[in-house]
Amino acid sequence: MVKRTRKEAARLDEAARAGWLYYCAGNTQDEIAQKLGVSRPTAQRLVSAAVSEGLVKVRLDHPITHCMELGKAICEKYGLANCDVVPTDPSAPEAMFGMAQAAATYLERALQSSDPKIIALGTGRAMRAMVDEIGRIDGSHHKIVSLVGTIAHDGAASFYDAVTDLADRTRAPHYPLPIPVIIEDPKMRERMQKQPPMDNILKLAREADIRFIGVGHLGDDAPLHIDGFITRDELTSLRQSGAIGEVISWSFDEDGNILDHPVNHCVTSAPAVQPATNTIAVAKGAKKVAAIRGAMRGKLISTLITDEATAEALLR
């Protein structure tokens, strides 16, 4: 967590007060200025700071008819339990805003359960964005588990690991998978997964009450390759074998079948569950349409959170 100076902390306190007065209490900026003893321009800057610093989370609590119709059609076509579709921002088609909030709603529901839950997370930008929407909450009776290795080949921690961040926000015990996503020797993988604490972490992952994952594509700029987990030759080999996407690093074909391929033999992630139950995928984008379609066909996911443009492409 970033350590702030007293001056910065005091400014954030003022911004939080201004944000609460504006968004929760419904005060005007003139009223906020009067209550905080500052000028109106300062009050305006404090309210803006509350948003830019992430102190204010905005969610639209109204169903948008077209999005609902798309979600219903996808559920019927692919046999999903749920599909949440959010509007597409034409000026920022790759932005996660909207989808992150929708995913956070599912995550908050699990965290607010009085019954202990095992909550399992994949990795990636979508997972980080979802967790960023979660406020401080007492989830100490739950367990947060990683579905994917959290370190690179050189030992560096994954930039997109969301498990530790979520645990920090909830005070829940967390179980990162302290192993590279892919290792070179399948026999070594098998030995490592049988050793403590790996065996216990993978057991928790298999027993998870709810799973949150992304869906990756296997194009030329596939994350598995760009992030250094597989070589260009391995990516080419996967595609020649019919691979079109991956979930928690397991590559699959257009029907969602996990491939019997040397790369998959070296994946250290928790097994992909088929048919999936309570497995929520957060994914969108033209590059991922084929992969998302395959994941749904293969029952690798049970719920999809996506945007309008992707949903429309999935129904064509």
Side-chain angles (χ1 to χ4, degrees):
M1 188 173 295
V2 177
K3 189 174 182 179
R4 302 183 185 275
T5 65
R6 288 186 179 182
K7 185 177 180 180
E8 290 171 333
R11 175 180 168 275
L12 282 182
D13 283 348
E14 285 291 275
R17 291 177 187 275
W20 187 90
L21 288 169
Y22 188 79
Y23 290 102
C24 300
N27 288 191
T28 66
Q29 292 179 359
D30 285 329
E31 290 171 327
I32 294 170
Q34 183 179 6
K35 290 180 179 180
L36 296 184
V38 299
S39 66
R40 188 180 186 282
T42 298
Q44 185 177 14
R45 285 195 295 272
L46 287 171
V47 171
S48 297
V51 176
S52 64
E53 292 287 349
L55 308 180
V56 174
K57 307 293 185 184
V58 180
R59 297 183 187 176
L60 181 66
D61 190 18
H62 179 79
I64 296 175
T65 302
H66 183 55
C67 290
M68 293 183 67
E69 290 171 347
L70 289 171
K72 181 180 179 182
I74 285 176
C75 285
E76 291 174 351
K77 181 173 182 176
Y78 295 102
L80 296 184
N82 298 288
C83 179
D84 290 14
V85 179
V86 305
T88 298
D89 181 352
S91 65
E94 299 303 316
M96 293 303 299
F97 188 79
M99 287 176 51
Q101 286 81 359
T105 299
Y106 284 89
L107 180 53
E108 284 177 342
R109 193 177 303 149
L111 290 168
Q112 289 166 356
S113 171
S114 58
D115 297 325
K117 300 289 185 184
I118 299 175
I119 302 169
L121 271 63
T123 188
R125 192 162 59 96
M127 297 295 98
R128 282 294 298 270
M130 174 185 70
V131 171
D132 281 345
E133 294 298 320
I134 301 297
R136 299 286 172 180
I137 183 173
D138 181 13
S140 55
H141 56 302
H142 302 309
K143 293 178 179 178
I144 313 297
V145 183
S146 178
L147 292 169
V148 188
T150 54
I151 60 174
H153 290 293
D154 61 0
S158 170
F159 181 75
Y160 292 112
D161 171 39
V163 167
T164 303
D165 190 12
L166 181 58
D168 181 59
R169 294 167 187 262
T170 61
R171 298 302 180 211
H174 63 295
Y175 301 81
L177 204 54
I179 190 173
V181 176
I182 297 174
I183 60 177
E184 296 180 359
D185 184 356
K187 293 182 179 179
M188 181 183 294
R189 178 193 71 167
E190 186 176 352
R191 289 195 300 271
M192 292 177 72
Q193 290 181 334
K194 289 181 179 179
Q195 298 295 318
M198 301 295 300
D199 56 346
N200 180 57
I201 296 170
L202 291 171
K203 178 176 181 291
L204 288 172
R206 288 192 297 270
E207 296 173 351
D209 296 290
I210 188 167
R211 299 171 181 83
F212 293 89
I213 63 174
V215 178
H217 69 89
L218 290 177
D220 290 341
D221 57 345
L224 278 180
H225 171 59
I226 297 299
D227 293 341
F229 297 120
I230 62 174
T231 66
R232 173 64 63 181
D233 288 344
E234 287 171 329
L235 176 60
T236 300
S237 176
L238 279 168
R239 288 174 8 189
Q240 289 174 344
S241 298
I244 51 90
E246 54 89 8
V247 291
I248 55 174
S249 302
W250 294 105
S251 299
F252 57 86
D253 65 17
E254 63 181 2
D255 293 317
N257 300 307
I258 302 295
L259 294 178
D260 182 9
H261 187 278
V263 169
N264 274 344
H265 298 167
C266 295
V267 171
T268 63
S269 306
V273 178
Q274 291 178 283
T277 57
N278 292 329
T279 299
I280 299 166
V282 187
K284 73 169 187 175
K287 292 181 180 179
K288 295 188 177 184
V289 169
I292 297 170
R293 183 182 290 117
M296 292 190 295
R297 284 175 175 168
K299 309 300 181 187
L300 289 164
I301 65 176
S302 58
T303 292
L304 174 66
I305 297 173
T306 192
D307 71 342
E308 275 182 289
T310 307
E312 288 168 350
L314 290 168
L315 291 169
R316 283 198 284 269

